[in-house]
Amino acid sequence: MFLFLLITLVVVVGAVTLAVVGGGDGGQLAEAPPDRLDDPLPADRPLDREDVEALRLPMTLRGYRMADVDDVLGRLGAELAERDARIAELEEALAGARTPGYDDGEAAGGQADFEGSGS
């Protein structure tokens, strides 16, 4: 029985050795993913959809790096707040620029009444 276990052990060790040494294409190992964010978000311009879609956060043993995720979410939150403030500012300016009592619906209705009274 001991001889059988010894032969089995030698065969298994030999098979594993051949698989590790002789297996594969003989090339190098695949490049490991970066452990830091290689292509950070552009700092010189606002973010757009393509920037967010192209973003790939590096993985760690238990998920994503918290510092990288916090940086990206902080940047996105700041830009969204800035855009919301700009939209509110433009809407306020637009509301102040409108003349009181003038509405597109009233103008169209008034024109229709004018054309109808002329015939």
Side-chain angles (χ1 to χ4, degrees):
M1 186 67 175
F2 178 73
L3 186 59
F4 175 73
L5 290 174
L6 183 63
I7 291 172
T8 304
L9 180 64
V10 169
V11 169
V12 169
V13 168
V16 169
T17 303
L18 284 175
V20 170
V21 174
D25 58 357
Q28 298 176 352
L29 292 175
E31 189 171 324
D35 59 349
R36 289 283 179 203
L37 190 57
D38 276 346
D39 190 20
L41 298 171
D44 59 338
R45 63 177 172 80
L47 298 177
D48 57 15
R49 182 182 181 128
E50 290 80 25
D51 293 328
V52 176
E53 287 177 352
L55 181 65
R56 296 294 175 256
L57 297 171
M59 298 286 292
T60 61
L61 184 61
R62 294 175 35 198
Y64 294 103
R65 297 182 64 84
M66 286 177 41
D68 291 337
V69 173
D70 290 344
D71 290 345
V72 169
L73 290 177
R75 170 81 187 271
L76 289 173
E79 288 206 16
L80 286 174
E82 182 179 323
R83 287 180 187 177
D84 288 345
R86 180 68 177 147
I87 289 171
E89 177 184 318
L90 292 172
E91 286 177 343
E92 186 177 312
L94 181 63
R98 289 187 177 156
T99 56
Y102 180 77
D103 187 23
D104 291 334
E106 291 177 8
Q111 186 178 8
D113 289 341
F114 179 73
E115 288 175 2
S117 64
S119 34

